[in-house]
């Protein structure tokens, strides 16, 4: 049984950071062992994997992208929809076979699925080949879990989140130019369809002093862009006894002078006029806002527990469009929520027509165990839901193409992040308003912000040439 680092640290009368450090120093038995992490789901998981990688590498593990050669494979999972569960167990089946030839392979599972009770039970009963399981609340336990592992399935998941502890800037970041910065963990909104408040726990904001320190360090390391990360970023600080709110944090982060600041995800209910004013008035806060709608029907929004009506959402949307010049606004929409009628769905299409989103992620409602919506009566057939999704996507795609076409002929500042996936002769990057651009340019521009003239607009990307 692994005790939480906090308790161990207290016992030894040392700080948690020192505890982790000491543990690592002692653990050179892991030197040269190979690991791989497969990450599912949202940016939060991507960023957690960056932390897991740093923890493993500080123990001596080396990253390896060939699963067959690995000593340790970790699946960082997502629980937001049912298909995420199916994908994970499909992949686990493949790993199980690898164990026949690689007897020392350790299979680990973490992330939101690991916080679900029925998944834990399923693992205990049916999947003995999964060696270690740890939850979203005790990521940092991984080194001690591995050290204590002796061949018997070890499930170390805490049902309750702890406070926010600072372990320093300990990440193996995927990019050298653009970095994620957690500003909060968990979510208190309890939208009736959503599992996140159960898997990630209640909202816990990091102290602004720690966030600002991390951003300063990233700037010094040469990062050009940071994205402030949280399930509900604009509720930041509400759990900190009024110390600071999101618009204040944005100002302070902006003052540090890093070139580009982004943030995801915002909840319409927490969006204030002050936030809009700060975004509009600061050049280094990027004009890109992800503003999940979920449904355009006020009746369904109420059932979802979203705390706004169609009209209130539209008022906010128009305010942002008017004040933040050249902003891109994207959204998330769920179709087929229990009880959604054709009339309700038409309300969603109405909002899409009115907002002409720059892009959207669209989903069919997926009942999640123990959420209120999973117990609501749902009489709409799957084929009807699929039909709604298709009709919605056609609209969304046409508006996204339209929004890209508006960029034609303009000159955009693009932060070049790597080689284009579509054409290895090109590099790619993002405009200030978060449009993906492919551009013919020498590779040495990777990592810098260049001017690009937009010559072609596709549905999901733009093509351009360098403008000196
Ligand atoms: N079913 C379908 N989509 C969901 N989302 C969250 N929970 C569910 C669910 N149970 C969507 C929401 C959210 C996005 C991250 O995933 O649109 O904004
Ligand atoms: Fe889930 Fe709602 Fe919280 Fe977003 S705001 S993470 S949808 S509960």
């Amino acid at each position: 049984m692994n005790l939480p680092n906090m308790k161990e640290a207290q016992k030894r009368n040392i700080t948690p950071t020192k505890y982790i450090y000491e543990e690592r120093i002692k653990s050179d038995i892991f030197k040269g062992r190979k690991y791989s992490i497969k990450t599912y789901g949202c940016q939060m998981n991507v960023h957690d994997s960056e932390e897991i990688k740093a923890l493993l590498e500080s123990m001596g593990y080396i990253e390896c992208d060939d699963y067959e050669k690995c000593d340790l494979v970790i699946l960082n999972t997502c629980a937001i929809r049912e298909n995420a569960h199916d994908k994970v167990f499909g992949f686990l089946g493949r790993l199980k076979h690898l164990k026949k030839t690689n007897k020392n392979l350790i299979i680990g599972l973490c992330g939101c699925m690991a916080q679900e009770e029925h998944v834990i039970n399923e693992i205990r009963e049916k999947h003995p080949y999964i060696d270690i399981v740890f939850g979203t609340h005790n990521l940092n336990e991984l080194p001690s879990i591995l050290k204590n592992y002796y061949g018997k399935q070890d499930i170390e998941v805490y049902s309750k989140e702890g406070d926010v502890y600072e372990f320093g800037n300990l990440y193996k970041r995927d990019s050298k130019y653009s970095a994620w910065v957690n500003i909060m963990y968990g979510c208190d909104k309890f939208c009736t369809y959503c599992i996140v408040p159960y898997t990630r726990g209640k909202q816990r904001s990091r102290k602004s002093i720690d966030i600002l320190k991390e951003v300063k360090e990233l700037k010094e390391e040469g990062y050009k862009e940071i994205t402030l990360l949280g399930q509900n970023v604009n509720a930041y600080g509400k759990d900190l006894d009024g110390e600071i709110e999101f618009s204040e944090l944005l100002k302070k982060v902006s003052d540090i002078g890093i070139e580009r600041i982004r943030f995801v995800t915002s909840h319409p209910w927490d969006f204030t006029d002050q936030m809009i004013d700060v975004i509009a008035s600061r050049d280094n806060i990027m004009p890109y806002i992800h503003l999940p709608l979920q449904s355009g029907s006020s009746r369904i929004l109420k059932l979802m527990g979203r705390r706004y009506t169609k009209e209130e959402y539209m008022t906010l949307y128009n305010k942002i469009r008017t004040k933040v010049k050249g902003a891109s606004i994207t959204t998330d929409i769920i179709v087929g929520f229990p009880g959604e009628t054709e009339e309700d769905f038409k309300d969603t299409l109405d909002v899409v027509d009115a907002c002409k989103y720059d892009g959207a992620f669209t989903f069919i409602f997926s009942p999640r165990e123990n959420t209120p919506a999973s117990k609501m009566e749902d009489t709409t057939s799957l084929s009807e839901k699929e039909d709604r999704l298709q009709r919605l996507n056609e609209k969304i795609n046409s508006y996204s193409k339209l929004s890209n076409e508006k960029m034609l002929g303009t000159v955009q500042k693009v932060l070049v992040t790597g080689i284009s996936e579509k054409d290895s002769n090109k590099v790619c990057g993002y405009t200030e308003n978060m449009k993906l651009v492919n551009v013919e340019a020498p590779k040495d521009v990777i990592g810098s912000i260049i001017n690009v003239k937009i010559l072609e607009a596709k549905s999901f990307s733009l093509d351009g040439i360098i403008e000196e």
Side-chain angles (χ1 to χ4, degrees), residues 34-40 53 62-76 91-92 94-99 101-108:
K34 298 195 177 75
Y35 80 92
S36 181
I37 303 182
K38 193 165 169 60
T39 308
Y40 298 84
K53 287 180 190 180
I62 301 167
E63 191 168 7
C64 166
D65 49 19
D66 183 352
Y67 298 114
E68 304 204 3
K69 295 197 178 119
C70 283
D71 304 283
L72 170 68
V73 179
I74 292 181
L75 274 68
N76 189 2
F91 188 67
L92 279 168
R94 284 169 50 201
L95 290 180
K96 182 181 168 188
H97 281 290
L98 277 186
K99 275 197 156 184
T101 46
N102 180 0
K103 297 259 182 296
N104 293 326
L105 173 66
I106 296 180
I107 299 177

Side-chain angles (χ1 to χ4, degrees), residues 42 79-82 192-196 231 265 290 292-294 306 331-335 337 361-368 371 373:
C42 66
I80 202 108
R81 281 170 293 273
E82 181 64 25
T192 57
Y193 51 82
C194 185
I195 200 161
V196 168
Q231 301 295 345
T265 292
H290 186 62
L293 168 68
Q294 310 301 5
R306 290 290 290 179
T331 199
D332 289 344
I333 297 172
I334 299 175
V335 301
F337 186 83
F361 298 101
T362 55
F363 314 98
I364 289 181
F365 168 73
S366 169
R368 305 288 49 223
T371 56

Side-chain angles (χ1 to χ4, degrees), residues 160-172:
K160 269 261 152 275
E161 69 286 324
D163 294 330
V164 175
Y165 287 100
E166 290 296 331
F167 295 108
N169 195 349
L170 274 179
Y171 299 99
K172 183 187 178 194

